[in-house]
């Protein structure tokens, strides 16, 4: 079984550097089955969210795994409907109830819009109460960072954003270094972008190390001190995704991967109308 290394967050907590994502896995027993498979194969970091509508199945898989609770890192996220201090307090409790847990290891503000300050204060209070171990943010760009983060009493432990070789978030990472905030990658494989997978440098490294293109990409991200949690519902892919700890890219190879950066991604949190569109997409209260 693969031993997963950890990164130390700015609050001192140790978070597994590699995990399992559940975005867009339906709550029709598919999430429960996929998480159970991941845990059986050695994963100890599971990422979910209120707006994924599968927190219950994540919790069921954890409860039935037989693995001690303190050996599994669980991340969830608060949706925009529950921003503001009182609403966010209720949202945290709802996530705990759905997951069937006494605490959540990492809880994020899923989107940086609306009453972010009030929601953040609620996360700080929940952390003080022992309901959450680490608190963080998601989809926060340099502009949104400057708008909100300097006024937070507690530094975000994590910022979960789009990250892959085509979008390496260099300006944001420079800003996050001031607070030692860890970057977590959503879409670490570029959402399966075939152009990325066929990049000559990635193909050459895959041949050299006898790995597939996805494993090369994930290894690059791990060596870039980025937390990754690819998603799959297929056991073979769940197993192979974490098979990245038996080799290392050289400094020159890392530079060649860094050269793939295009400086932009598929999602722009700063674009006009994003907040309004997202608020209309999910009704997390319909799942309660």
């Amino acid at each position: 079984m693969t031993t997963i290394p950890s990164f130390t967050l700015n609050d001192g907590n140790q978070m597994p550097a590699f995990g399992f994502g559940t975005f867009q896995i339906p709550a029709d027993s598919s999430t429960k089955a996929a998480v159970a498979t991941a845990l059986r194969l050695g994963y100890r970091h599971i990422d979910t969210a209120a707006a994924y509508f599968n927190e219950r199945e994540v919790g069921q898989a954890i409860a039935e795994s037989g693995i001690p609770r303190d050996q599994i890192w669980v991340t969830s996220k608060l949706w925009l409907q529950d921003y503001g201090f009182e609403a966010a307090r209720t949202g945290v409790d709802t996530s705990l109830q759905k997951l069937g847990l006494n605490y959540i290891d990492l809880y994020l503000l899923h989107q940086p819009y609306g009453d972010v300050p009030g929601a953040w204060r609620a996360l700080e209070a929940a952390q003080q109460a022992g309901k959450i171990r680490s608190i963080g943010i998601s989809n926060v760009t340099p502009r949104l960072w400057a708008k909100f983060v300097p006024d937070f009493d507690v530094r975000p432990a994590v910022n979960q954003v789009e990250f892959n070789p085509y979008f390496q978030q260099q300006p944001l990472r420079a800003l996050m270094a001031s607070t030692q905030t860890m970057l977590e990658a959503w879409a670490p494989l570029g959402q399966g972008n075939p152009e990325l997978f066929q990049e000559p440098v990635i193909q050459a490294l895959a041949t050299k190390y006898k790995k597939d293109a996805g494993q090369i990409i994930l290894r690059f991200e791990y060596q870039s001190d980025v937390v990754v949690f690819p998603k799959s519902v297929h056991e073979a892919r769940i197993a192979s995704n974490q098979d990245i700890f038996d080799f290392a890219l050289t400094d020159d190879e890392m530079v060649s991967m860094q050269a793939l950066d295009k400086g932009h991604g598929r999602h722009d949190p700063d674009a006009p109308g994003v907040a309004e569109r997202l608020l209309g997409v999910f009704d997390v209260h319909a799942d309660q």
Side-chain angles (χ1 to χ4, degrees):
M1 186 177 293
T2 302
T3 299
I4 305 297
S6 295
F7 290 137
T8 302
L9 302 180
N10 61 15
D11 57 14
N13 289 324
Q14 296 278 326
M15 178 170 65
F18 192 91
F20 184 74
T22 65
F23 178 54
Q24 292 183 328
I25 304 181
D28 58 2
S29 298
S30 299
T31 297
K32 181 180 177 182
V35 172
T37 297
L39 292 171
R40 176 169 51 81
L41 292 173
Y43 285 74
R44 294 295 183 266
H45 175 172
I46 309 297
D47 182 275
T48 183
Y52 297 174
F53 299 100
N54 57 18
E55 287 175 306
R56 283 193 181 91
E57 291 199 13
V58 168
Q60 289 166 2
I62 290 169
E64 295 175 16
S65 70
I67 300 168
R69 171 66 186 94
D70 62 3
Q71 293 182 20
I72 302 175
W73 181 279
V74 180
T75 298
S76 196
K77 312 175 192 76
L78 186 76
W79 190 242
L80 287 164
Q81 279 175 285
D82 290 327
Y83 280 23
F85 184 76
E86 291 300 334
R89 290 178 65 182
T90 300
V92 170
D93 288 342
T94 299
S95 285
L96 284 164
Q97 183 269 324
K98 288 182 178 179
L99 287 161
L101 301 177
N102 293 324
Y103 67 90
I104 298 170
D105 296 277
L106 173 64
Y107 204 69
L108 309 178
L109 298 185
H110 203 157
Q111 302 289 346
Y113 313 110
D115 188 3
V116 170
W120 187 255
R121 288 196 304 274
L123 265 59
E124 291 174 339
Q127 185 181 39
Q128 285 287 325
K131 296 179 178 181
I132 304 169
R133 294 182 63 210
S134 296
I135 58 177
I137 51 182
S138 183
N139 294 300
V140 171
T141 64
R143 184 184 72 82
L144 290 161
W145 180 284
K147 180 178 179 179
F148 293 119
V149 175
D151 295 326
F152 290 170
D153 289 336
V154 175
R155 299 172 299 168
V158 164
N159 185 14
Q160 186 181 116
V161 294
E162 183 180 3
F163 183 97
N164 58 70
Y166 278 170
F167 189 25
Q168 296 178 34
Q169 297 276 11
Q170 297 301 344
L172 178 63
R173 297 200 76 185
L175 197 58
M176 289 166 55
S178 65
T179 56
Q180 298 178 297
T181 298
M182 182 67 62
L183 191 147
E184 278 193 317
W186 64 256
L189 296 173
Q191 296 177 317
N193 184 350
E195 181 185 355
L196 174 62
F197 278 65
Q198 292 302 317
E199 282 287 349
V201 62
I202 293 175
Q203 287 293 314
L205 290 171
T207 299
K208 173 183 175 180
Y209 290 107
K210 297 182 173 57
K211 296 291 182 178
D212 63 37
Q215 290 167 326
I216 296 299
I217 293 167
L218 294 170
R219 179 69 200 191
F220 163 71
E221 292 164 347
Y222 165 68
Q223 285 187 225
S224 301
D225 294 330
V226 170
V227 180
V228 294
F229 40 89
K231 177 203 75 176
S232 179
V233 296
H234 304 292
E235 181 166 346
R237 176 55 62 186
I238 294 171
S240 67
N241 278 341
Q242 67 173 338
D243 189 19
I244 64 169
F245 298 106
D246 59 352
F247 75 105
L249 301 177
T250 67
D251 290 346
D252 287 344
E253 290 164 352
M254 289 292 292
V255 170
S256 70
M257 291 289 292
Q258 290 162 1
L260 296 175
D261 190 10
K262 298 178 183 293
H264 62 84
R266 296 187 175 190
H267 174 59
D268 180 8
D270 292 328
V274 173
E276 292 76 14
R277 177 175 59 81
L278 289 172
L279 262 174
V281 170
F282 300 121
D283 178 8
V284 297
H285 296 164
D287 191 41
Q288 294 175 13

